[in-house]
Amino acid sequence: MVPEDIEKEFLEYSSLPKTNQYKLKISRDEFYNSMRLRGFDYSGIFMGVQQCDIDGRTASLKWNNNWIAFMDSMVQYILSIEATGHSLPTIFDKIVINPLEHLKSVNSNSNVTLNYDKDLNAAKCGGIEIRNIYVTNVRRRATDIPPTLRKYTFVPNNDTQKEVDPFYHSVDVATQIVIDNCMQDLNLGIVEIGSDNAIPILKSNIDRENLKKITFSQVDTIDKISTDYNLIIASDELSLKNIEAYMKRAEFVFAKVQNIESKEVDVIYQHTSKSGSYILMRRPKEAPENSTIIVANNNNYNWVRDLKLAVKKHKAPGSRIYLINEDFNSGIIGLFNSIRLEQYCSNLRVFLLRSYDKIEPFSLKSDFYLPQIRKDLTVNIYQDGCWGTYRRLPLETFQPTLMSDACLIKDNKEIKWVQKSPYQKQNNIFVHCASISKWDSLVINEKAGLDVENTVLLGLEFSGVDNNGNNVMGIVPGGALSTKVEAHPKLTWNFSNKLSFEEATTIPLAYTLSYYSLFIQTYLSPNDSILVHNCTSDLSVAATALALNRGCKVFAVADSSQRNVLKLMFPTIDDSNIISHFKELLKLSKKCVSKNGRFIEVANSIMDFLVADDLMEKNCSFHNISIAELFEENEDTLDMIATDIEKYIKDGVAVPLRYSVFDKDNIETALKHFEEKGHTTKCLIKIRENGRFFTKPDKRVLAYKRTYLDPNKSYIVIGGLGGFGFQLTKWLIERGATKLVLNSRNDVRSGYHASCLQKWNNQGLIVLTNTSDTSTLEGAESLINFASNLGPVGGVFNTALQAQDEFMTDVTPDDFVAVAASKIFSAQNMDIISRKFCKQLDYFIMFSSIASSIGNPIQGNYAFVNSAVERLCETRKAEGLPALTIEWGPLADVGILVRMKLSVQYLETQRQKLSSCMEVLDHFIQQSEPVVSSCVYATKDEEVSEKKTLVEKIANLFGIRDVDEIEDSKTLLELGMDSLLGFEIKHILSQESGVEVNVNDIRNLTIENIKSMST
């Protein structure tokens, strides 16, 4: 539609507050980094936002002679302010375009100023204005490969650890030892004799990123072996004679052996259990012809020069370099893991001595060290009174436990019971029963318009007992499906013993929402007529009861079974007012509506069936009622609702609705019942029997532990203004932290950081920055004192890093010092000061890298300091102090690899998204191991995946893996299609089906249409 005077179509923006020119601005890179974290990956001309203020009022957009890209950039900016998560626009109230004004405004300057009015939700840039965008939150595209979680732990060479599967554990450890000692050419040959039990285990567990080639073979007998291998794995128990035969064909042999006493065999590793002993063996090695000893430590790195010289000098096969470190928190294991991959350290042997008891200094002639020296192992660790090594082992599966206080949540795609926060406001209702509502169903099925990747508390209505012993029922914005809940100050009612807890639970939500819809939002008056669809649903029954009580005439749509139910509940309704059900009736409803009539829908829009012109013709209005609107009402309105609902309960107008009851442990069954077509009963979850507390284990809830932070304590994030540190800060706030100190080398320089800090401050949070140098004791104490002024320090998190990559032959002591400052020096100082001043410390968490345990060429110094931090956390944990180090693999959204656009192919890993990192962080905090790792590995098997159908390919673009979850009638627009997805779908349709469809028509394609194309 082209108006006569297009200038009159624009809103006025001249009265908007002027932007403070001295405030920091959000740069183009910062803006698109923040959008990337939300799941948007823009490129090229679609990266049009050049700069914006931190108040969300103005921005500078680049004009590239492309209208679509420019308007898309306008939408990006609006979404960055008004929406959360992965939100896609689906409806615009109005778009005004004046091409002449626009081209005139960009003629002299390719950057155009955008003005945004938050009150009107309108933005104008050049000659384009966009008003009021409605969004749909959709799941971002799936990463497909979940991270591998492992622990990095000390394993004695004489291992008696009780394992569920001794063979699985011992063959895993033994193979890792073999890899450490056969890395000269990065090739490894393994053969299994007599079975194929071990090979699947090894294929699953070996970190193949350290291997250029790995060969697995399987033969029936030893005489079938035609070449030599690094490792032979025998399935049968071996005698000494068999062992000698096997030793001729491999450097190492792994087998089950009862007794082995022979000078011809060295026992490298032995795991003993009730079922016997699994042993890793090899022939004794000759003493080295010449050797040198280098003593390393964490505080003076002059030894690095000696190591470089020794590496150059001792290249002959018979030479050895013994690198010794007696520091309890040494990093030489990480150093070795990296420099061994640089292909010139095959003669290096590491001895790490971690003993609380005094032991003699290292000597090649010492009877204490000589047996271990003769085994000629690359890594030798003395800890807990025995020799052993560090190994990467599977982390135990996270299991739920019985808890007395839990709540039901939707977390990512999971529905599960989790531990409730002990720091929430007073939970004054002990819940006996709660319901699953339509709103819960929308949340679970990701149709509620919420950020689908955020955690949502489920349950809106409940019945239970308050602290005074009164029976109460009520509604809350979320979290009713819980053992305890905080009552809403207005929307909670007492009920007598005449009602059971189950009956009481059916009343609050249906009658409150119906009352709010009919009398507050649409002003239903006596003698008005209403037409009720789905007449036996809880909301429809409640609306019918309230309308009849108000003196309204009620018409209802019902099939034969519904008619009988309706007449039983409301015998006063005339039979002629009950209309037979047929599919087109909803569309025809607009024809029978009177002038000034109202369409009401609760929680789920019917706008697809209505045409704006039809509504305007009769001056009709459409009301889509949400539960959120109800809780946002003013106190007077809520008082009126509460008073009238209480009267309806006493007068018998609000009567219990029909229901089905399910146990708290049968949530899946309850959800299936709720999703069944034609179900006519409220779906109730019984939380507990009579009694306030769960005194018996079988009455408790099987729930997962969950991390919550004490709002009265302060939390320190070292490196808090870095990419990972800042995202960690957001997570800490989500988990309850209200007082945080972000420590960094520099103060705030980023507009994005400034905008977040301003937003948190407006929310009443205290998030401060601090530049104390924690690599010194004085700086660490200054930081602790600064945070203590806010409250007792509850947690120290170190996300800082400084990489300075060099080959071992080129690295200098200064390179080690530069990298050590932000990691090991900082960690050591925070350890010392926190022991002294932080008596209420709950968390001491250090972020590390898989370079420490796996190794990474040219990162020996970086691996060293990370490894030292890991040893420090092990020490703290052994002394009963909080401690955790997390080794992360390459990150997808932030960090040095992203900034420098570096490849990670040499690691054979994929980048892990920060959303995934935050998910596993909670898991790590709840377990007891001091050193753990998370990394997304590239798929190991190069098998061709099953060909996907056309529907599956398109569904995958929206992050939907199971196409059966989607109704055939759903359009791509309803799934959250944007312009970029439109072009991608157009390409897929053209390639797969040969059908050419324009982008506008693609928006209205249904799943059923796409299925028909594929046939």
Side-chain angles (χ1 to χ4, degrees), residues 21-72:
Q21 60 178 320
Y22 300 107
K23 283 190 175 181
L24 289 168
K25 305 289 184 181
I26 299 174
S27 69
R28 175 178 181 267
D29 288 345
E30 290 170 351
F31 179 85
Y32 284 103
N33 282 340
S34 69
M35 295 299 280
R36 188 185 302 113
L37 290 171
R38 288 171 51 178
F40 300 100
D41 195 6
Y42 295 102
S43 62
I45 61 173
F46 284 91
M47 296 178 69
V49 179
Q50 303 301 297
Q51 179 180 276
C52 46
D53 66 32
I54 67 175
D55 299 317
R57 290 198 297 261
T58 65
S60 176
L61 269 60
K62 186 173 184 179
W63 170 251
N64 287 297
N65 294 310
N66 188 300
W67 291 88
I68 293 176
F70 188 81
M71 293 175 68
D72 195 82

Side-chain angles (χ1 to χ4, degrees), residues 38-43 46 68 72 76 79 86-90 136-142 950-960 971-990 997-1005 1010:
R38 288 171 51 178
F40 300 100
D41 195 6
Y42 295 102
S43 62
F46 284 91
I68 293 176
D72 195 82
Q76 295 167 20
L79 291 181
H86 195 218
S87 309
L88 300 179
T90 51
T136 299
N137 281 282
V138 298
R139 180 170 297 281
R140 65 183 75 181
R141 300 181 195 185
L950 180 61
V951 175
E952 287 172 333
K953 287 184 176 180
I954 292 176
N956 288 167
L957 295 179
F958 296 93
I960 302 170
T971 66
L972 298 185
L973 179 62
E974 290 174 314
L975 291 179
M977 192 191 93
D978 62 1
S979 55
L980 291 176
L981 272 179
F983 285 107
E984 199 164 344
I985 293 169
K986 175 180 170 67
H987 176 73
I988 291 175
L989 291 175
S990 175
V997 187
N998 66 54
V999 175
N1000 287 332
D1001 291 338
I1002 287 174
R1003 290 156 54 91
N1004 298 315
L1005 285 178
I1010 296 171

Side-chain angles (χ1 to χ4, degrees), residues 798-949:
N798 190 336
T799 67
L801 69 87
Q802 182 175 343
Q804 206 154 321
D805 298 347
E806 292 285 355
F807 284 103
M808 188 61 211
T809 51
D810 300 322
V811 74
T812 68
D814 289 341
D815 294 330
F816 270 77
V817 172
V819 175
S822 64
K823 274 294 182 188
I824 185 56
F825 293 168
S826 174
Q828 287 174 340
N829 292 331
M830 294 302 290
D831 170 48
I832 294 169
I833 301 301
S834 66
R835 288 171 185 255
K836 184 176 179 181
F837 295 111
C838 304
K839 302 304 181 182
Q840 299 184 44
L841 194 71
D842 300 312
Y843 307 106
F844 188 92
I845 298 179
M846 306 286 111
F847 283 9
S848 178
S849 165
I850 58 167
S852 171
S853 60
I854 293 177
N856 196 5
I858 76 171
Q859 284 198 325
N861 55 354
Y862 181 61
F864 178 92
V865 298
N866 280 293
S867 182
V869 168
E870 293 169 11
R871 305 290 82 75
L872 171 64
C873 283
E874 287 177 339
T875 302
R876 285 180 57 91
K877 195 78 172 183
E879 295 175 7
L881 296 170
L884 173 65
T885 300
I886 303 172
E887 296 182 351
W888 298 105
L891 303 178
D893 305 304
V894 297
I896 191 169
L897 287 176
V898 175
R899 290 196 303 273
M900 300 180 68
K901 299 181 179 179
L902 297 176
S903 168
V904 293
Q905 291 181 355
Y906 57 85
L907 291 173
E908 293 195 25
T909 60
Q910 293 188 358
R911 295 177 180 175
Q912 185 174 358
K913 289 188 173 294
L914 281 188
S915 55
S916 170
C917 293
M918 294 302 108
E919 285 179 31
V920 300
L921 176 60
D922 198 2
H923 182 168
F924 286 151
I925 290 175
Q926 297 302 330
Q927 56 81 53
S928 60
E929 294 291 335
V931 183
V932 291
S933 70
S934 172
C935 188
V936 178
Y937 291 95
T939 51
K940 295 181 180 179
D941 298 320
E942 298 178 357
E943 298 176 0
V944 179
S945 60
E946 184 180 349
K947 183 175 175 60
K948 293 181 179 178
T949 66

Side-chain angles (χ1 to χ4, degrees), residues 118-139:
K118 291 184 178 181
D119 296 324
L120 299 176
N121 294 328
K124 184 174 186 291
C125 190
I128 304 172
E129 182 179 86
I130 297 176
R131 295 186 205 168
N132 215 12
I133 300 179
Y134 296 89
V135 302
T136 299
N137 281 282
V138 298
R139 180 170 297 281

Side-chain angles (χ1 to χ4, degrees), residues 246-257:
Y246 278 49
M247 285 289 188
K248 294 178 182 178
R249 306 312 306 265
E251 183 175 354
F252 290 90
V253 174
F254 175 83
K256 192 173 185 180
V257 180

Side-chain angles (χ1 to χ4, degrees), residues 3 64 159 231 242 359 404 467 517 575 636 641 856 907 998:
N64 287 297
D159 188 2
L231 172 64
N242 296 138
I359 57 176
S404 59
N467 286 329
S517 304
D575 286 347
D636 290 341
I641 295 172
N856 196 5
L907 291 173
N998 66 54

Side-chain angles (χ1 to χ4, degrees), residues 10 70 98 101-102 105-106 112-114 124-129:
F10 289 108
F70 188 81
N98 185 340
E101 179 190 343
H102 186 75
S105 67
V106 302
V112 190
T113 298
L114 178 147
K124 184 174 186 291
C125 190
I128 304 172
E129 182 179 86

